Structure formats: structure tokens, C-alpha cells
Amino acid sequence: MSVQRVPVLIVGGAYTGLTTAVSLAARGVRPLLVERRPTVSTLPKAWGLNTRSQELLNTLPGVARRIRDAIAGTQWPRMSNGVSLADPQRRFLDPPSEPDPRELSAVPPLAWISQAQVEEILRVSAEEAGAELRPGTEMVTLTQDAEKATATLREVATGRVYTVEADYVVAADGHTSGIRELLGIPVEGSGVIGHMYIITFEADLTRYVKKGAVEVIGMPGSGSSFILDGSERHTLWVDYFPERGEGPADFTEDRCVERIRRAIGDPEIDVTFVNARFFPINHKLAERFREGRVFLAGDSAHACPPNGGQGGNLAVQDAYDLSWRLALVLTGQAGTGLLDTYETERRPVIDITLRREVELAKISEGRVPASYNPADPDAPVPMPKEYLGFRYRSCAVRAEAGDDALQEDPWHPTGRPGGRAPHVHLTDGSREFSTHDLFGRGFVLLAGYEAYEWVAAAEKVARVLGVSLTAHRLGDRFTDRDGLWCGRYGVGPAGASLIRPDAVVAWRGKGAADDPEAQLTEALTAILAR
């Protein structure tokens, strides 16, 4: 029997697996994705893509347009607390207006879109890009050696078993990851720290909220919260305590409908029950994200409470950060040592988010903080400093002396290597766009108005090293609309900044150099583990 060989086998078809699939395929690496479920879920499991996730997904073919269409006309989600949905005295917890998060990026501060919608967008885009998706297929066994990983796969419907060999495997199989268990990778953290039931239903709520309302509504003291995502399908999140004797019998259809009506504050409202499902609240962080040819990403590598909505965002970002590295290695542009930097960079940044999400869960009921001052800078809520002000440290970053911080203020970016490349408005005379519109496929060298030597050097280095590297000099095809580029990137008019495919500053030359070709060659050779 012939054995199929693929460059990357992805196990799991949710946020992590699908993002990995489309990102690899867009970079010329055709992966195989297997998912035990026959279709993507239509249940709105999670909501909201933060700025970082949107910027990354926007670089993938077809994804940006589809997300833009999906969120067209949606509003900024409002958060409130009250006795019920019908409570006329509901208190809205509006975020502070200063500093303005819209200054940080060309994308919205938050794209209010459900996980089910995003996964369908990613599925369609992955198939268009050339990824092979096999729903209704599960992994049975996995072994590896110095040359390959070998997986036994089974078609759930037919029972047919066959073998696939892969250069690398991405474990995107969730917080109960069987692959993580198989590899014997321990997890840190507090484990299961709570439980919820998610009740999905349909009802006409226009008596209490505007049609298409996007709101997160808590009912302090009830252990419940609503999420209204603008669609006809709504969810009620309910705290659940099996340690007190509660069980599935407390969430039968009749009891769920009764609870929904009580939370709405209308005992007569017509409600259509759709689904009720258990949701464990986890705090887990894998001790390592790699074992040989197998990588953990998303919930298989870490899990956090859902209160701040960052679990899905971490999954998208993991998948993107791993896939560009795999693509460079598999296309011969980088050495295998580049793959080690995935865990080195991501794990410390993820740990910060997980710890903050745990603190947020302590003051929340359902999905909503029961006590929270939105003007308090110390409140444990998702902040741009966390997901835009992160700082990576690894061999894939040419860090500068004395630079060991893991975060910086994104409203006052330094342009230091390891941080997200700052957003700056550019214009070509006919349209305006962001520096981030230049990033995503390969490396990019952004050079100042006087940096002719850096551009010439980059073009030669790209040819010699066989690396995808595009150089842009301000003043050639576009200009810095507001004169902010030098300040935000921390370089002079004759300087340059080298940006990785994940829009992270890898290295910078603050001014002119005696031998720019040698400096760029040294930097890229180190970054790519050549």
C-alpha cells in the first residue's frame, strides 16, 4: 500500500489548524489538515479578533476581504450589568476614550465576529490557497524519527485506515490534546479552575435591544451573562458547579429555556432552544511547544479562561508565527534552528496573557466582570500593551544591548527589534495605506528617504541568499504621510528596519553604514539560522 507524503500534517480544524493551513498554502507549502468532525462548527464558540490577529489574517489571500464583508456594519460591542436583559437601569461599562486605540493600527480595535464565522472564512480561503482539508478524519497513531513523522489516519464514517508521512506535524487538537499526552509533555498552571455551560438559543429580543445589537450583558449575582453578536442566534453563559452536585440534568432543554427567560426578564417570551454544552475553564501552559518534528499550537499548547476573549486570538497568532517559520525551512530559505524560536518567543508572551485572564476570571460571572472600573489601568482586562506592545526574544531577533523588556507602550513605540513594527500612514498619491499592508509574505526592508545604499544592498543580499526580501525606500513609490516613520521606527533618514513575515522588527540600522551588504547578510544569516 502506498504511503502519502506531505510537508506538514495538521491535526485539528478549528482556529489553529485552519490558520496554519491557509498561511502555509499561501507561502507555497501545501499542507494536509485532518479534523475528526465532518464539518466546521456552526456554534458561536468565541467572539472577537483583536488588532494583532486582524493584522496577521489580513495578509492571507481571501481572508481580509471575507472578514471585512462579515463585519461590515457591525458596531463596537458594549458591555453592561443589570438585573436582566430587560432591566431599564442596566449600567454600561464603556471603555475609556483615551488614549485612542485607533491610532495604533489601520484595522478596527476589535472585529466583533464569531469563531464559527472566522473558521468558515479560513476553511474556504485555505482550500482556495491549495491546502488539502479532510474533515471526518482522525489521527489514530503518531510516531517519528530523524527523517519524518508517521501518522495512522482513520476515516470516521467508513473506518478506513491509512498512513501519511510528514516532515512536520502541527498539533491543533485542543486543550485535551491527545498528541500532547502521547508526547508526554507536561503542563503547568492551575488546571481546571471553573466550569460553564453555554446555552445557545434563538429569540426575538428587539423589545429590549436594537435589532442586530452587539452587546455583552452580565447579571451580577446570577452567575450568568448574555452575548449578543448581532445575529439571530444568541448565547447565555452560565456558571456551573459540579462540585456542588450540579450536573447535565440541570441543563435540560426545559430548564435552559426557563433560565433564558429569567435572564431576559420576560417569563412569556418565545424561545427556541438550540444547544447546551459544557465548557471547562482552564489555566494550562505546556512545558514545551515542540517534541522533535511535532509542534503544539493554540489550545494544545495553552488554555485560559474565556472572559477576556484572548484564547482564540492566541491560537491565530500561534498558527501564524509557526507557519511562516515552517514555510521558510521547507522552502530552503532557513535552517531548522529557526523552528526552535517559535517556542522561545511565544511562550513568555502567552504566559503574561494567561495570568491576566485568570485574574479577570476571578472578578467575573459568566463572561462578564461583575466588578470592573474601565478607567482603572490596573484592571485585568485585555490591553493593547499586551497584544501590540509584546517584545519577542530569540535568535530570530537581533536584539540591541540592554534590551530585555517583554512589553512596551504601543502608543509610544521604539521600533526596537523584537517588537511589532509600528503602524504608520503611507500614501502613494492616490491612496493611503498602512506600513502593515507591506508585510506578510517575506522579509521587508523599510528604508528612510536617504537610504539608497540599504535598498541596493537588500536587493543583492536577497539574490545571494535566495531569500524572499523586498526593499522599499520612502520617497520612491510612497511617502510618510505624517512624517512619523523615523520616530516610530527609531532610525534616521539614512537608516533602515528589517521586518519579518509576522510584522516583527528583526533588526535595524539606525543610519548609513560603511558596508550595508555585510550588515544585512550577517543579520539575515543569523535570523534564519543559516
Side-chain angles (χ1 to χ4, degrees):
M1 181 177 65
S2 63
V3 176
Q4 182 182 6
R5 182 69 181 246
V6 297
V8 179
L9 171 64
I10 304 166
V11 182
Y15 261 166
T16 309
L18 290 168
T19 303
T20 305
V22 66
S23 185
L24 283 171
R27 293 176 166 83
V29 175
R30 189 168 186 253
L32 168 63
L33 181 151
V34 297
E35 163 58 48
R36 184 174 59 248
R37 298 172 302 173
T39 62
V40 296
S41 174
T42 59
L43 296 173
K45 296 173 285 187
W47 291 262
L49 294 172
N50 65 28
T51 307
R52 174 66 174 165
S53 297
Q54 291 178 73
E55 288 177 342
L56 295 176
L57 291 176
N58 279 357
T59 70
L60 303 178
V63 177
R65 171 179 53 82
R66 292 184 171 103
I67 289 179
R68 185 171 58 249
D69 291 345
I71 65 175
T74 60
Q75 54 190 295
W76 181 271
R78 301 198 69 187
M79 182 181 295
S80 66
N81 282 330
V83 174
S84 66
L85 178 62
D87 180 4
Q89 304 301 317
R90 273 195 292 130
R91 181 172 63 92
F92 285 90
L93 308 174
D94 292 327
S97 58
E98 295 293 338
D100 188 346
R102 291 174 296 182
E103 298 175 1
L104 302 178
S105 176
V107 303
L110 179 69
W112 190 252
I113 182 172
S114 74
Q115 181 174 345
Q117 290 174 284
V118 176
E119 287 181 0
E120 177 60 18
I121 288 170
L122 292 171
R123 182 192 67 79
V124 173
S125 301
E127 289 180 331
E128 284 184 353
E132 183 179 0
L133 311 183
R134 292 184 191 169
T137 303
E138 63 182 355
M139 193 196 77
V140 180
T141 65
L142 177 66
T143 60
Q144 60 176 316
D145 56 32
E147 302 298 325
K148 64 185 181 303
T150 303
T152 303
L153 306 179
R154 185 176 75 89
E155 293 179 352
V156 175
T158 66
R160 184 176 79 90
V161 176
Y162 58 96
T163 300
V164 168
E165 295 177 349
D167 294 298
Y168 297 101
V169 175
V170 177
D173 54 342
H175 71 92
T176 60
S177 176
I179 295 178
R180 186 186 64 225
E181 294 295 319
L182 176 66
L183 297 174
I185 298 178
V187 294
E188 303 172 358
S190 306
V192 178
I193 61 175
H195 307 84
M196 285 184 178
Y197 250 89
I198 310 170
I199 305 172
T200 304
F201 68 98
E202 296 174 354
D204 181 1
L205 303 178
T206 53
R207 184 183 303 178
Y208 310 109
V209 295
K210 292 181 179 179
K211 183 176 178 61
V214 178
E215 295 190 26
V216 183
I217 305 156
M219 288 142 279
S222 72
S224 303
S225 62
F226 278 119
I227 294 183
L228 312 181
D229 64 4
S231 71
E232 301 300 318
R233 185 165 285 186
H234 318 293
T235 56
L236 179 68
W237 290 68
V238 179
D239 286 340
Y240 164 56
F241 302 98
E243 66 274 16
R244 300 179 188 175
E246 294 182 357
D250 294 290
F251 296 90
T252 61
E253 180 174 339
D254 288 344
R255 291 194 176 188
C256 286
V257 169
E258 177 187 353
R259 185 131 192 188
I260 292 165
R261 288 174 170 157
R262 187 164 69 245
I264 294 173
D266 184 344
E268 304 298 327
I269 191 169
D270 187 24
V271 172
T272 300
F273 173 83
V274 175
N275 180 276
R277 56 203 185 277
F278 166 69
F279 185 92
I281 303 173
N282 289 293
H283 174 213
K284 297 179 181 178
L285 180 62
E287 187 177 272
R288 58 187 184 277
F289 290 2
R290 180 183 187 183
E291 183 69 30
R293 295 181 171 272
V294 184
F295 296 85
L296 307 184
D299 284 358
S300 70
H302 46 77
C304 63
N307 305 79
Q310 296 307 299
N313 285 286
L314 291 178
V316 167
Q317 293 156 27
D318 279 1
Y320 196 99
D321 277 13
L322 176 57
S323 60
W324 73 262
R325 289 171 164 88
L326 285 169
L328 287 177
V329 170
L330 288 165
T331 56
Q333 297 180 66
T336 58
L338 177 65
L339 300 176
D340 292 329
T341 66
Y342 160 66
E343 175 189 326
T344 305
E345 292 184 356
R346 289 293 295 162
R347 198 173 183 279
V349 170
I350 290 166
D351 189 36
I352 292 173
T353 298
L354 265 56
R355 292 176 185 274
R356 197 264 306 129
E357 289 279 74
V358 169
E359 292 304 308
L360 180 60
K362 292 178 182 178
I363 62 169
S364 299
E365 294 183 49
R367 281 289 296 268
V368 182
S371 59
Y372 155 55
N373 176 7
D376 180 4
D378 295 322
V381 295
M383 297 293 288
K385 184 176 182 180
E386 177 185 327
Y387 52 82
L388 295 181
F390 64 88
R391 303 288 299 282
Y392 287 155
R393 293 289 172 270
S394 79
C395 297
V397 170
R398 305 303 285 162
E400 297 171 351
D403 188 11
D404 57 1
L406 287 177
Q407 287 185 339
E408 70 177 25
D409 180 359
W411 278 280
H412 298 92
T414 65
R416 286 175 174 267
R420 164 185 168 268
H423 157 65
V424 174
H425 285 291
L426 304 174
T427 179
D428 63 6
S430 62
R431 67 185 181 99
E432 294 184 352
F433 53 99
S434 169
T435 45
H436 279 259
D437 292 322
L438 303 173
F439 309 145
R441 294 301 298 269
F443 283 82
V444 171
L445 186 82
L446 283 182
Y449 289 96
E450 302 172 9
Y452 298 95
E453 293 83 0
W454 284 117
V455 172
E459 293 171 350
K460 185 172 182 180
V461 169
R463 290 194 302 270
V464 172
L465 294 183
V467 174
S468 176
L469 168 61
T470 303
H472 301 283
R473 185 186 67 85
L474 293 176
D476 273 343
R477 288 178 294 169
F478 50 79
T479 58
D480 172 8
R481 189 192 74 179
D482 302 315
L484 297 174
W485 184 79
C486 285
R488 289 187 175 177
Y489 279 74
V491 301
S497 181
L498 181 65
I499 315 300
R500 304 187 325 192
D502 58 349
V504 166
V505 179
W507 165 91
R508 67 180 176 181
K510 294 184 179 181
D514 292 335
D515 192 344
E517 184 181 329
Q519 286 200 27
L520 270 178
T521 299
E522 186 277 333
L524 270 171
T525 300
I527 290 163
L528 294 172
R530 295 275 287 257

